[in-house]
Amino acid sequence: MKAVILAGGYGTRLSEETTTTPKPMVEIGGNPILWHIMKIYSAHGINDFIICLGYKGYIIKEYFANYFLHTSDVTFDMKMNVMKTHTSHAEPWTVTLVDTGENTMTGGRLKRVQKYVGDEDFCFTYGDGIGDVDITQLIKQHAADDDAIATVTGVRQPSRFGVFNLAGNKVSHFQEKPEGAGGWINGGYFVLSSSVFDYLDNDETVWETEPMQKIAANNLMSVYLHEGFWHPMDTLRDKHLLENLWNTQQAKWKIWN
């Protein structure tokens, strides 16, 4: 199965980082968040990726073009112009990088890679959200629902504020930013059937509005409820939170060895 990843947006809410690099290339623990997302899929046996490029897409192309060098210990003999590789950490990935336009909307980007996806079911996600989502179970649920052409992962909205309970005018319980305190929201990890392309018109199509609304209204969308960890990287505060989790060995999305 293939996985399509949106990696073309401007990331304006993370402008401290995205003025010089596309948002999916913002690093957590020395690796782009895009790499973390791909590692999550790879842990579930999905290694064929289609990445939708846009804003500063050439940086993502250069990253994968030089991936072997990025992940290897090497010695350069400058006199002889020879590179000797000592150790490497290659991935079993096939990566198709597609320029889907700098100003194309999410549904339009997906429409542009239709020829690379083919007629099979495929995974689809954004380049800025990570979690310990059970991709294998998500795929199984989609396959088991004969009516669904789209299955969306529902996640609990991360709480950004402290929550407390009241007993009269006293606080009886307080918890700072409890995990999973919010309501269910779109967690961005989808499994889609190829027929969803019938709902995508052009570059102006926003996947999250008319296409998803029509699919849901036609009773063709199922939901996989994920109770575990999930967090987006929308702001600099999100980046710092995820970086701290990684550096303190609390990164629950790290499901690979």
Side-chain angles (χ1 to χ4, degrees):
M1 182 176 283
K2 296 181 175 70
V4 176
I5 304 176
L6 296 178
Y10 288 99
T12 53
R13 286 181 291 180
L14 193 58
S15 59
E16 299 91 343
E17 297 276 346
T18 56
T19 54
T20 58
T21 190
K23 187 178 181 183
M25 294 302 292
V26 175
E27 293 186 351
I28 299 171
N31 287 296
I33 191 170
L34 177 60
W35 176 89
H36 290 262
I37 294 168
M38 294 170 74
K39 291 289 282 187
I40 293 168
Y41 277 108
S42 191
H44 288 276
I46 297 175
N47 296 302
D48 194 347
F49 298 97
I50 301 167
I51 301 178
C52 303
L53 306 180
Y55 172 68
K56 295 186 182 296
Y58 65 90
I59 293 178
I60 299 178
K61 286 184 178 180
E62 290 175 353
Y63 173 76
F64 284 105
N66 296 299
Y67 187 84
F68 183 78
L69 188 59
H70 288 310
T71 59
S72 301
D73 293 337
V74 297
T75 296
F76 292 99
D77 185 330
M78 307 305 290
K79 181 178 179 180
M80 301 300 295
N81 193 27
V82 173
M83 181 184 76
K84 179 181 179 181
T85 301
H86 300 288
T87 60
S88 63
H89 306 281
E91 304 289 351
W93 298 342
T94 299
V95 184
T96 302
L97 303 168
V98 184
D99 184 358
T100 56
E102 192 155 306
N103 298 305
T104 307
M105 298 292 102
T106 51
R109 293 191 191 282
L110 179 56
K111 182 71 171 178
R112 285 211 190 186
V113 301
Q114 181 176 1
K115 65 180 180 180
Y116 299 103
V117 172
D119 297 326
E120 304 298 325
D121 292 354
F122 63 99
C123 293
F124 176 54
T125 195
Y126 309 105
D128 61 359
I130 48 180
D132 56 349
V133 179
D134 190 337
I135 304 294
T136 300
Q137 189 58 40
L138 169 63
I139 293 170
K140 287 181 179 179
Q141 179 171 318
H142 180 78
D145 191 331
D146 293 334
D147 295 326
I149 66 170
T151 300
V152 57
T153 297
V155 299
R156 295 287 191 181
Q157 184 172 4
S159 177
R160 298 183 183 274
F161 305 98
V163 175
F164 56 82
N165 296 328
L166 290 176
N169 64 346
K170 299 292 186 182
V171 175
S172 61
H173 175 78
F174 179 84
Q175 185 175 356
E176 178 64 7
K177 301 177 184 176
E179 187 174 302
W184 293 104
I185 62 171
N186 170 16
Y189 284 81
F190 297 88
V191 177
L192 305 177
S193 300
S194 59
S195 53
V196 298
F197 289 109
D198 296 336
Y199 291 80
L200 307 176
D201 295 326
N202 52 47
D203 285 357
E204 304 303 315
T205 303
V206 179
W207 163 248
E208 299 79 11
T209 55
E210 190 170 331
M212 285 189 68
Q213 291 169 4
K214 282 185 176 181
I215 292 170
N218 292 337
N219 201 31
L220 298 174
M221 181 178 293
S222 67
V223 59
Y224 171 73
L225 298 180
H226 172 60
E227 292 279 8
F229 177 86
W230 176 86
H231 207 287
M233 190 179 66
D234 288 332
T235 65
L236 190 60
R237 179 168 64 177
D238 292 330
K239 171 185 159 51
H240 289 162
L241 183 150
L242 294 172
E243 187 93 50
N244 181 65
L245 290 175
W246 182 268
N247 291 337
T248 56
Q249 289 75 52
Q250 299 180 73
K252 295 181 180 180
W253 70 89
K254 186 182 180 299
I255 58 175
W256 59 91
N257 295 322

